[in-house]
Amino acid sequence: MQSSANTILVTGGGSGIGAALAHEFHAAGNQVIIAGRRQAALDAVAADHPGMATMTLDMTDADAVAAFADRIVADFPALNAVLLNAGIMVAEQGIDLDVAEATIATNLLGPIRLAHALLPQLEAQANSAILTVSSGLAFVPLAATPTYSATKAAIHSWSLSMREQLRRRVELIEIVPPGVQTDLMPGHAENADMMKLSDYIAETMALLRQQPTPAEIHVERVKFLSEATRRGDFDQVFAALNQQH
């Protein structure tokens, strides 16, 4: 992935990892468009970045995703990259169908729908990229968030397959975060066991700047989870992760 001169869309760009990566992309000389449900949150991020654009988007609404794709291609005909970052993480006690369906719609169907809608645009560009965001929990699930973990495992699998299908047409990069100090779940931002957002972004951007860009972006902190099966200690890591559940 080229590090500058992109026109890049960042979903979930109003807070957390999305906002922080949008800042870095903007500072590197890219045209950045951030999207999310709340215009006020988007405006707060863009206020510090002259030239950054904002567009509202509900990733759970299939018709809205399609209309959004048409609008952004019309407004930004040089669009050549999309970071599919929007997501929700909600604890479930047993099977909470409302939470499960909302999580699947946001974390899995949303990225697939938007990638589908933008694919003709991306394939028409000389240098283009899709960046997905999975999680360390794609590799070792957290029992308290079963549907979240399942959607991230699905995003990892989908990324592997689509990377192969799109080879030599659109680059596909999977970003695999550990637990990071954001507002993804209540208490995460203050949790000392989570990785500092600034540290996470610095390490992630260093990996994204490598040439060639790695197909998967694993910071050192996430490898406890993401390499558990490879090391042969999945059962021990699963037990340690879920010892309180």
Side-chain angles (χ1 to χ4, degrees):
M1 178 183 176
Q2 61 188 31
S3 59
S4 62
N6 297 292
T7 299
I8 182 168
L9 166 66
V10 179
T11 69
S15 63
I17 289 173
L21 287 175
H23 165 81
E24 295 293 331
F25 290 140
H26 178 83
N30 298 289
Q31 169 66 68
V32 179
I33 309 101
I34 54 173
R37 289 188 178 188
R38 296 178 296 121
Q39 185 65 55
L42 299 173
D43 288 344
V45 174
D48 295 327
H49 303 91
M52 184 179 288
T54 68
M55 296 178 71
T56 56
L57 172 62
D58 180 356
M59 291 287 283
T60 68
D61 185 330
D63 291 338
V65 169
F68 172 89
D70 289 341
R71 191 166 73 253
I72 195 169
V73 168
D75 291 350
F76 298 94
L79 182 76
N80 70 314
V82 56
L83 170 59
L84 300 168
N85 168 76
I88 59 172
M89 184 178 188
V90 182
E92 299 167 77
Q93 185 60 44
I95 300 174
D96 187 322
L97 195 57
D98 288 341
V99 169
E101 290 182 348
T103 302
I104 292 167
T106 304
N107 295 5
L108 183 57
L109 287 176
I112 291 173
R113 286 167 174 158
L114 186 55
H116 169 266
L118 292 176
L119 191 55
Q121 166 71 16
L122 297 175
E123 289 183 313
Q125 308 306 307
N127 295 289
S128 59
I130 296 171
L131 296 91
T132 60
V133 179
S134 62
S135 168
L137 301 181
F139 300 85
V140 182
L142 179 65
T145 57
T147 306
Y148 175 86
S149 300
T151 59
K152 293 304 183 178
I155 285 292
H156 171 63
S157 178
W158 186 81
S159 298
L160 287 168
S161 297
M162 291 309 301
R163 180 180 300 117
E164 183 64 25
Q165 288 195 24
L166 296 173
R167 189 177 299 278
R168 292 182 294 275
R169 292 155 56 201
V170 179
E171 188 172 6
L172 197 147
I173 301 162
E174 179 186 353
I175 298 175
V176 187
V180 179
Q181 289 180 342
T182 71
D183 292 322
L184 183 60
M185 284 189 78
H188 273 196
E190 299 79 33
N191 189 336
D193 291 332
M194 301 288 178
M195 188 173 185
K196 285 186 177 181
L197 178 59
S198 58
D199 293 343
Y200 173 70
I201 296 300
E203 191 173 347
T204 295
M205 289 303 301
L207 291 169
L208 285 171
R209 292 187 187 105
Q210 289 183 3
Q211 293 297 326
T213 307
E216 296 182 7
I217 305 298
H218 297 243
V219 299
E220 288 300 317
R221 183 76 169 262
V222 82
K223 293 179 181 179
F224 172 70
L225 299 174
S226 65
E227 296 184 356
T229 297
R230 185 180 304 169
R231 291 192 307 267
D233 60 359
F234 175 90
D235 290 344
Q236 295 93 320
V237 173
F238 180 83
L241 181 66
N242 294 290
Q243 61 184 340
Q244 296 180 342
H245 303 287

